Amino acid sequence: MSWIWILVAGLSFGLGAVMLVQAGNPGNYGFCAACQLRDIAGALGLHKVATLQYARPEILGWIIGAFVMSKTSGEFRPRGGSIPALRFLLGALMMLGALVFLGCPLRALLRLGGGDLNGLTALAGFVTGIGTGIFFLRKGFTLGRAHTVSGPASYAGYLPVVFAILLTAAVASSAVFLYFSATGPGSQHAPIIVSLIAGLVTGAIAMKTRMCLSGSFRDFILVRDTFLLKIYGLILLSAMVANMFFGTFKLGFTGQPLAHSMHLWNFLGLYLVGVAATLLGGCPLRQLIMAAGGSTDAGICVLGMLAGAGLAHTLNWAGSGAGVSVAGQIAVAVGIAITFSIGWIFREKVMAGSSA
Protein backbone atom coordinates (compact mmCIF):
# COMPACT_ATOMS: atom_id res chain seq x y z
CA MET A 1 0.00 0.00 0.00
CA SER A 2 1.05 3.57 -0.63
CA TRP A 3 2.06 6.41 1.65
CA ILE A 4 -1.47 7.78 1.18
CA TRP A 5 -2.92 5.01 3.35
CA ILE A 6 -0.17 5.49 5.94
CA LEU A 7 -1.13 9.17 6.18
CA VAL A 8 -4.87 8.50 6.20
CA ALA A 9 -4.65 5.80 8.88
CA GLY A 10 -2.09 7.57 11.06
CA LEU A 11 -3.85 10.93 11.06
CA SER A 12 -7.34 9.49 11.41
CA PHE A 13 -6.48 7.51 14.52
CA GLY A 14 -4.03 9.99 16.05
CA LEU A 15 -5.95 13.22 15.49
CA GLY A 16 -9.31 11.46 15.82
CA ALA A 17 -8.46 10.14 19.27
CA VAL A 18 -7.47 13.59 20.55
CA MET A 19 -10.56 15.21 19.02
CA LEU A 20 -12.79 12.64 20.75
CA VAL A 21 -11.21 13.63 24.07
CA GLN A 22 -11.86 17.28 23.25
CA ALA A 23 -15.47 16.34 22.49
CA GLY A 24 -15.99 14.68 25.88
CA ASN A 25 -14.14 11.35 26.19
CA PRO A 26 -11.88 10.89 29.24
CA GLY A 27 -8.25 11.97 28.96
CA ASN A 28 -6.07 9.94 26.57
CA TYR A 29 -9.13 7.77 25.95
CA GLY A 30 -10.19 8.62 22.42
CA PHE A 31 -9.80 5.06 21.19
CA CYS A 32 -9.12 1.89 23.17
CA ALA A 33 -10.19 -1.57 22.01
CA ALA A 34 -9.89 -2.99 25.53
CA CYS A 35 -11.24 -0.27 27.82
CA GLN A 36 -14.07 0.70 25.51
CA LEU A 37 -15.06 -2.94 25.10
CA ARG A 38 -14.87 -3.15 28.91
CA ASP A 39 -17.35 -0.26 29.13
CA ILE A 40 -19.66 -2.16 26.76
CA ALA A 41 -19.36 -5.20 29.03
CA GLY A 42 -20.45 -2.96 31.88
CA ALA A 43 -23.38 -1.63 29.87
CA LEU A 44 -24.48 -5.23 29.29
CA GLY A 45 -24.23 -5.96 33.02
CA LEU A 46 -21.24 -8.31 32.76
CA HIS A 47 -19.68 -6.34 35.59
CA LYS A 48 -21.23 -3.99 38.14
CA VAL A 49 -18.64 -1.22 38.41
CA ALA A 50 -21.04 1.71 38.20
CA THR A 51 -18.43 4.14 36.85
CA LEU A 52 -17.45 1.96 33.87
CA GLN A 53 -20.71 1.35 32.02
CA TYR A 54 -21.35 2.81 28.57
CA ALA A 55 -21.95 1.22 25.16
CA ARG A 56 -19.10 3.03 23.45
CA PRO A 57 -20.13 3.95 19.88
CA GLU A 58 -16.49 3.96 18.77
CA ILE A 59 -16.31 0.16 19.09
CA LEU A 60 -19.67 -0.29 17.40
CA GLY A 61 -18.52 2.00 14.61
CA TRP A 62 -15.31 0.02 14.16
CA ILE A 63 -17.30 -3.16 13.61
CA ILE A 64 -19.85 -1.66 11.23
CA GLY A 65 -17.25 0.39 9.32
CA ALA A 66 -14.95 -2.60 8.90
CA PHE A 67 -17.89 -4.75 7.79
CA VAL A 68 -18.95 -2.24 5.12
CA MET A 69 -15.37 -1.90 3.87
CA SER A 70 -14.94 -5.69 3.73
CA LYS A 71 -18.18 -6.08 1.77
CA THR A 72 -17.47 -3.28 -0.71
CA SER A 73 -13.90 -4.49 -1.29
CA GLY A 74 -14.94 -8.13 -1.66
CA GLU A 75 -12.91 -9.20 1.39
CA PHE A 76 -15.81 -10.36 3.56
CA ARG A 77 -15.50 -14.11 3.97
CA PRO A 78 -17.22 -16.19 6.68
CA ARG A 79 -14.57 -18.52 8.06
CA GLY A 80 -13.62 -20.25 11.30
CA GLY A 81 -13.16 -23.54 13.09
CA SER A 82 -9.72 -23.01 14.62
CA ILE A 83 -9.93 -24.30 18.25
CA PRO A 84 -12.57 -21.81 19.46
CA ALA A 85 -12.26 -22.66 23.17
CA LEU A 86 -8.60 -21.67 23.25
CA ARG A 87 -9.32 -18.48 21.32
CA PHE A 88 -11.97 -17.58 23.90
CA LEU A 89 -9.50 -18.20 26.73
CA LEU A 90 -6.67 -16.25 25.08
CA GLY A 91 -9.09 -13.39 24.40
CA ALA A 92 -10.01 -13.28 28.09
CA LEU A 93 -6.34 -13.33 29.10
CA MET A 94 -5.50 -10.60 26.59
CA MET A 95 -8.23 -8.43 28.11
CA LEU A 96 -6.94 -9.14 31.62
CA GLY A 97 -3.46 -7.93 30.71
CA ALA A 98 -4.83 -4.80 29.03
CA LEU A 99 -7.03 -3.90 32.00
CA VAL A 100 -4.16 -4.33 34.46
CA PHE A 101 -2.28 -1.69 32.46
CA LEU A 102 -5.51 0.27 31.81
CA GLY A 103 -5.44 0.20 28.04
CA CYS A 104 -4.85 -1.84 24.91
CA PRO A 105 -1.60 -1.37 22.94
CA LEU A 106 -3.26 1.35 20.84
CA ARG A 107 -4.17 3.29 23.98
CA ALA A 108 -0.63 2.81 25.30
CA LEU A 109 0.53 4.65 22.19
CA LEU A 110 -2.12 7.35 22.60
CA ARG A 111 -1.27 7.74 26.30
CA LEU A 112 2.35 8.23 25.29
CA GLY A 113 1.15 10.81 22.76
CA GLY A 114 -0.43 12.67 25.67
CA GLY A 115 2.85 12.63 27.60
CA ASP A 116 2.05 9.62 29.83
CA LEU A 117 5.43 7.90 30.14
CA ASN A 118 3.80 4.82 31.64
CA GLY A 119 3.04 4.00 28.02
CA LEU A 120 6.77 3.45 27.43
CA THR A 121 6.96 0.80 30.15
CA ALA A 122 3.86 -0.94 28.85
CA LEU A 123 4.97 -0.85 25.21
CA ALA A 124 8.32 -2.33 26.21
CA GLY A 125 6.41 -5.20 27.82
CA PHE A 126 4.20 -5.54 24.75
CA VAL A 127 7.14 -5.82 22.35
CA THR A 128 8.87 -8.29 24.68
CA GLY A 129 5.65 -10.34 24.74
CA ILE A 130 5.54 -10.34 20.95
CA GLY A 131 9.10 -11.64 20.93
CA THR A 132 8.04 -14.46 23.24
CA GLY A 133 5.07 -15.23 21.00
CA ILE A 134 7.37 -15.36 17.97
CA PHE A 135 9.53 -17.87 19.84
CA PHE A 136 6.50 -20.15 20.13
CA LEU A 137 5.61 -19.59 16.46
CA ARG A 138 9.12 -20.61 15.44
CA LYS A 139 8.80 -23.71 17.60
CA GLY A 140 5.75 -24.70 15.55
CA PHE A 141 2.83 -23.23 17.53
CA THR A 142 -0.47 -23.34 15.69
CA LEU A 143 -4.17 -23.19 16.46
CA GLY A 144 -4.88 -24.80 13.11
CA ARG A 145 -6.21 -23.22 9.96
CA ALA A 146 -9.59 -21.57 9.67
CA HIS A 147 -11.69 -22.71 6.74
CA THR A 148 -14.33 -20.92 4.72
CA VAL A 149 -17.87 -21.84 5.67
CA SER A 150 -21.00 -21.67 3.54
CA GLY A 151 -24.71 -22.28 3.91
CA PRO A 152 -26.42 -21.68 7.28
CA ALA A 153 -23.07 -21.83 9.11
CA SER A 154 -21.91 -18.72 7.23
CA TYR A 155 -24.47 -16.56 9.02
CA ALA A 156 -22.30 -16.71 12.15
CA GLY A 157 -19.89 -14.39 10.34
CA TYR A 158 -22.53 -11.66 10.51
CA LEU A 159 -23.17 -11.89 14.25
CA PRO A 160 -20.70 -9.15 15.31
CA VAL A 161 -22.36 -6.76 12.87
CA VAL A 162 -25.84 -7.62 14.15
CA PHE A 163 -24.57 -7.10 17.70
CA ALA A 164 -23.12 -3.70 16.81
CA ILE A 165 -26.27 -2.52 15.05
CA LEU A 166 -28.50 -3.59 17.94
CA LEU A 167 -26.28 -1.87 20.49
CA THR A 168 -26.10 1.27 18.36
CA ALA A 169 -29.88 1.36 18.25
CA ALA A 170 -29.98 0.80 22.00
CA VAL A 171 -27.60 3.66 22.69
CA ALA A 172 -29.62 5.99 20.48
CA SER A 173 -32.85 5.16 22.34
CA SER A 174 -33.83 5.01 26.00
CA ALA A 175 -32.29 1.50 26.16
CA VAL A 176 -33.78 0.46 29.49
CA PHE A 177 -31.98 -2.90 29.35
CA LEU A 178 -28.52 -1.31 29.33
CA TYR A 179 -26.55 0.21 32.21
CA PHE A 180 -25.11 3.73 31.91
CA SER A 181 -22.71 5.39 34.33
CA ALA A 182 -23.88 8.57 36.05
CA THR A 183 -20.36 9.42 37.24
CA GLY A 184 -16.77 8.46 36.46
CA PRO A 185 -15.16 7.58 33.10
CA GLY A 186 -18.30 5.83 31.84
CA SER A 187 -20.24 9.07 32.11
CA GLN A 188 -17.63 10.99 30.09
CA HIS A 189 -18.13 10.65 26.36
CA ALA A 190 -18.34 12.57 23.15
CA PRO A 191 -21.77 13.02 21.54
CA ILE A 192 -23.04 9.69 20.20
CA ILE A 193 -23.06 10.77 16.56
CA VAL A 194 -19.48 12.10 16.78
CA SER A 195 -18.20 8.88 18.37
CA LEU A 196 -20.08 6.70 15.91
CA ILE A 197 -18.80 8.57 12.85
CA ALA A 198 -15.23 8.43 14.21
CA GLY A 199 -15.61 4.69 14.70
CA LEU A 200 -17.13 4.10 11.27
CA VAL A 201 -14.33 5.97 9.49
CA THR A 202 -11.44 4.45 11.44
CA GLY A 203 -13.00 0.98 11.35
CA ALA A 204 -13.11 1.08 7.57
CA ILE A 205 -9.52 2.33 7.47
CA ALA A 206 -8.36 -0.39 9.87
CA MET A 207 -9.93 -3.03 7.63
CA LYS A 208 -8.36 -1.57 4.50
CA THR A 209 -4.88 -1.29 5.98
CA ARG A 210 -5.08 -4.44 8.18
CA MET A 211 -3.90 -2.40 11.16
CA CYS A 212 -2.49 -4.44 14.02
CA LEU A 213 0.13 -3.25 16.49
CA SER A 214 1.28 -6.76 17.40
CA GLY A 215 1.40 -7.59 13.70
CA SER A 216 3.50 -4.49 12.98
CA PHE A 217 6.26 -5.56 15.35
CA ARG A 218 5.92 -9.22 14.34
CA ASP A 219 6.28 -8.33 10.65
CA PHE A 220 9.30 -6.15 11.35
CA ILE A 221 11.02 -8.81 13.44
CA LEU A 222 10.32 -11.63 10.98
CA VAL A 223 10.57 -9.98 7.54
CA ARG A 224 11.59 -6.35 8.21
CA ASP A 225 8.26 -5.04 6.84
CA THR A 226 7.71 -1.50 8.19
CA PHE A 227 4.34 -0.54 6.63
CA LEU A 228 2.26 -0.98 9.79
CA LEU A 229 4.99 0.48 12.01
CA LYS A 230 4.89 3.67 9.95
CA ILE A 231 1.14 3.96 10.58
CA TYR A 232 1.57 3.61 14.33
CA GLY A 233 4.53 5.99 14.32
CA LEU A 234 2.34 8.62 12.66
CA ILE A 235 -0.47 7.93 15.17
CA LEU A 236 1.96 8.69 18.00
CA LEU A 237 3.34 11.81 16.33
CA SER A 238 -0.03 13.26 15.33
CA ALA A 239 -1.54 12.58 18.77
CA MET A 240 1.43 14.26 20.43
CA VAL A 241 1.21 17.35 18.21
CA ALA A 242 -2.56 17.59 18.70
CA ASN A 243 -2.25 17.28 22.48
CA MET A 244 0.37 20.02 22.50
CA PHE A 245 -1.90 22.23 20.39
CA PHE A 246 -4.85 21.80 22.78
CA GLY A 247 -2.67 22.10 25.89
CA THR A 248 -3.42 18.54 27.06
CA PHE A 249 0.14 17.22 26.72
CA LYS A 250 1.52 16.45 30.19
CA LEU A 251 4.90 14.75 30.32
CA GLY A 252 5.55 12.41 33.24
CA PHE A 253 4.62 9.21 35.03
CA THR A 254 2.33 10.58 37.74
CA GLY A 255 -0.95 12.49 37.67
CA GLN A 256 -1.97 11.02 34.31
CA PRO A 257 -5.65 10.38 33.51
CA LEU A 258 -6.86 6.80 33.96
CA ALA A 259 -3.37 5.50 34.74
CA HIS A 260 -1.13 4.14 37.48
CA SER A 261 2.64 3.97 37.84
CA MET A 262 3.22 0.40 39.05
CA HIS A 263 5.85 -0.10 36.37
CA LEU A 264 6.34 -3.84 36.75
CA TRP A 265 2.64 -4.51 36.30
CA ASN A 266 2.31 -2.06 33.42
CA PHE A 267 5.12 -4.03 31.77
CA LEU A 268 3.72 -7.46 32.60
CA GLY A 269 0.14 -6.49 31.76
CA LEU A 270 0.99 -5.64 28.16
CA TYR A 271 3.57 -8.44 28.08
CA LEU A 272 0.63 -10.82 28.55
CA VAL A 273 -1.25 -8.97 25.79
CA GLY A 274 1.76 -9.26 23.47
CA VAL A 275 2.14 -13.02 23.92
CA ALA A 276 -1.60 -13.70 23.60
CA ALA A 277 -1.99 -11.39 20.60
CA THR A 278 0.86 -13.09 18.74
CA LEU A 279 -0.59 -16.55 19.40
CA LEU A 280 -4.03 -15.33 18.30
CA GLY A 281 -2.75 -13.59 15.18
CA GLY A 282 -3.83 -10.08 16.12
CA CYS A 283 -4.10 -7.42 18.83
CA PRO A 284 -7.46 -6.43 20.37
CA LEU A 285 -8.20 -3.91 17.59
CA ARG A 286 -7.35 -6.47 14.91
CA GLN A 287 -9.61 -9.09 16.50
CA LEU A 288 -12.57 -6.69 16.32
CA ILE A 289 -11.83 -5.86 12.68
CA MET A 290 -11.35 -9.50 11.66
CA ALA A 291 -14.62 -10.42 13.37
CA ALA A 292 -16.36 -7.74 11.30
CA GLY A 293 -14.80 -9.30 8.19
CA GLY A 294 -16.46 -12.66 8.84
CA SER A 295 -13.97 -14.46 11.09
CA THR A 296 -15.87 -16.44 13.68
CA ASP A 297 -12.53 -17.27 15.33
CA ALA A 298 -11.95 -13.56 15.94
CA GLY A 299 -15.57 -13.19 17.01
CA ILE A 300 -15.07 -15.87 19.66
CA CYS A 301 -11.91 -14.08 20.81
CA VAL A 302 -13.95 -10.85 21.18
CA LEU A 303 -16.51 -12.74 23.26
CA GLY A 304 -13.61 -13.95 25.41
CA MET A 305 -12.48 -10.34 25.79
CA LEU A 306 -15.96 -9.32 26.95
CA ALA A 307 -16.01 -12.19 29.44
CA GLY A 308 -12.49 -11.31 30.59
CA ALA A 309 -13.57 -7.72 31.23
CA GLY A 310 -16.51 -8.87 33.31
CA LEU A 311 -14.37 -11.31 35.28
CA ALA A 312 -11.49 -8.87 35.84
CA HIS A 313 -13.73 -6.21 37.33
CA THR A 314 -15.92 -8.60 39.25
CA LEU A 315 -12.90 -10.20 40.95
CA ASN A 316 -10.93 -6.95 41.37
CA TRP A 317 -8.15 -8.02 39.02
CA ALA A 318 -8.18 -4.88 36.85
CA GLY A 319 -5.91 -1.95 37.54
CA SER A 320 -7.10 1.45 38.72
CA GLY A 321 -5.64 4.83 39.46
CA ALA A 322 -4.51 3.38 42.79
CA GLY A 323 -2.57 0.58 41.10
CA VAL A 324 -3.00 -3.19 40.80
CA SER A 325 -4.34 -5.35 43.63
CA VAL A 326 -2.48 -8.44 44.85
CA ALA A 327 -5.26 -10.52 43.29
CA GLY A 328 -4.67 -8.77 39.96
CA GLN A 329 -0.93 -9.38 40.18
CA ILE A 330 -1.49 -13.08 40.84
CA ALA A 331 -3.99 -13.24 37.96
CA VAL A 332 -1.46 -11.76 35.52
CA ALA A 333 1.25 -14.19 36.64
CA VAL A 334 -1.14 -17.12 36.21
CA GLY A 335 -2.27 -15.74 32.86
CA ILE A 336 1.32 -15.59 31.61
CA ALA A 337 1.88 -19.19 32.76
CA ILE A 338 -1.26 -20.29 30.91
CA THR A 339 -0.21 -18.58 27.66
CA PHE A 340 3.23 -20.19 27.92
CA SER A 341 1.57 -23.58 28.38
CA ILE A 342 -0.68 -23.04 25.36
CA GLY A 343 2.25 -21.85 23.25
CA TRP A 344 4.31 -24.91 24.15
CA ILE A 345 1.62 -27.58 24.04
CA PHE A 346 -0.01 -26.57 20.76
CA ARG A 347 2.96 -27.14 18.50
CA GLU A 348 2.59 -29.01 15.24
CA LYS A 349 4.94 -31.82 16.32
CA VAL A 350 3.12 -32.27 19.61
CA MET A 351 -0.30 -32.19 17.95
CA ALA A 352 0.85 -34.59 15.24
CA GLY A 353 2.20 -36.97 17.88
CA SER A 354 -0.98 -36.90 19.92
CA SER A 355 -3.12 -37.72 16.88
CA ALA A 356 -0.90 -40.54 15.67
Side-chain angles (χ1 to χ4, degrees), residues 63-325:
I63 295 173
I64 298 171
F67 170 72
V68 172
M69 175 60 78
S70 69
K71 291 293 285 186
T72 55
S73 64
E75 294 182 65
F76 183 84
R77 183 167 55 88
R79 60 202 183 278
S82 174
I83 315 185
L86 277 183
R87 290 187 178 274
F88 184 94
L89 175 58
L90 286 169
L93 292 173
M94 186 160 63
M95 178 61 89
L96 167 64
L99 293 183
V100 163
F101 162 64
L102 295 176
C104 70
L106 173 61
R107 184 165 183 252
L109 207 63
L110 293 172
R111 282 173 56 175
L112 188 58
D116 183 354
L117 295 179
N118 296 293
L120 280 177
T121 310
L123 286 170
F126 182 62
V127 175
T128 305
I130 293 168
T132 303
I134 290 174
F135 167 80
F136 289 122
L137 293 179
R138 285 174 167 163
K139 290 295 183 180
F141 170 81
T142 179
L143 288 177
R145 292 185 178 276
H147 55 271
T148 302
V149 295
S150 58
S154 67
Y155 295 127
Y158 291 85
L159 289 181
V161 184
V162 174
F163 169 76
I165 292 172
L166 288 175
L167 272 181
T168 303
V171 172
S173 67
S174 59
V176 294
F177 62 91
L178 293 179
Y179 296 90
F180 292 92
S181 297
T183 60
S187 67
Q188 301 170 22
H189 52 80
I192 292 172
I193 188 63
V194 173
S195 296
L196 185 59
I197 290 173
L200 288 168
V201 172
T202 51
I205 292 169
M207 171 60 77
K208 180 67 177 179
T209 57
R210 291 177 170 78
M211 281 177 59
C212 177
L213 191 51
S214 61
S216 68
F217 287 109
R218 179 202 62 210
D219 291 351
F220 177 74
I221 293 171
L222 292 177
V223 295
R224 295 296 185 266
D225 188 325
T226 62
F227 173 75
L228 291 176
L229 276 180
K230 290 172 183 174
I231 291 177
Y232 285 102
L234 186 55
I235 290 174
L236 173 61
L237 179 62
S238 59
M240 189 176 296
V241 171
N243 276 304
M244 289 178 176
F245 177 81
F246 286 111
T248 51
F249 183 85
K250 179 184 178 181
L251 188 65
F253 286 101
T254 60
Q256 299 292 346
L258 303 177
H260 65 78
S261 294
M262 294 183 71
H263 302 306
L264 175 62
W265 299 102
N266 282 333
F267 181 94
L268 290 178
L270 279 206
Y271 175 83
L272 175 56
V273 175
V275 179
T278 305
L279 299 184
L280 284 164
C283 66
L285 167 62
R286 183 61 182 155
Q287 296 298 326
L288 285 162
I289 300 304
M290 289 193 297
S295 171
T296 58
D297 288 340
I300 288 168
C301 174
V302 172
L303 290 178
M305 291 169 65
L306 280 169
L311 194 64
H313 278 285
T314 299
L315 298 178
N316 193 32
W317 292 347
S320 69
V324 184
S325 68

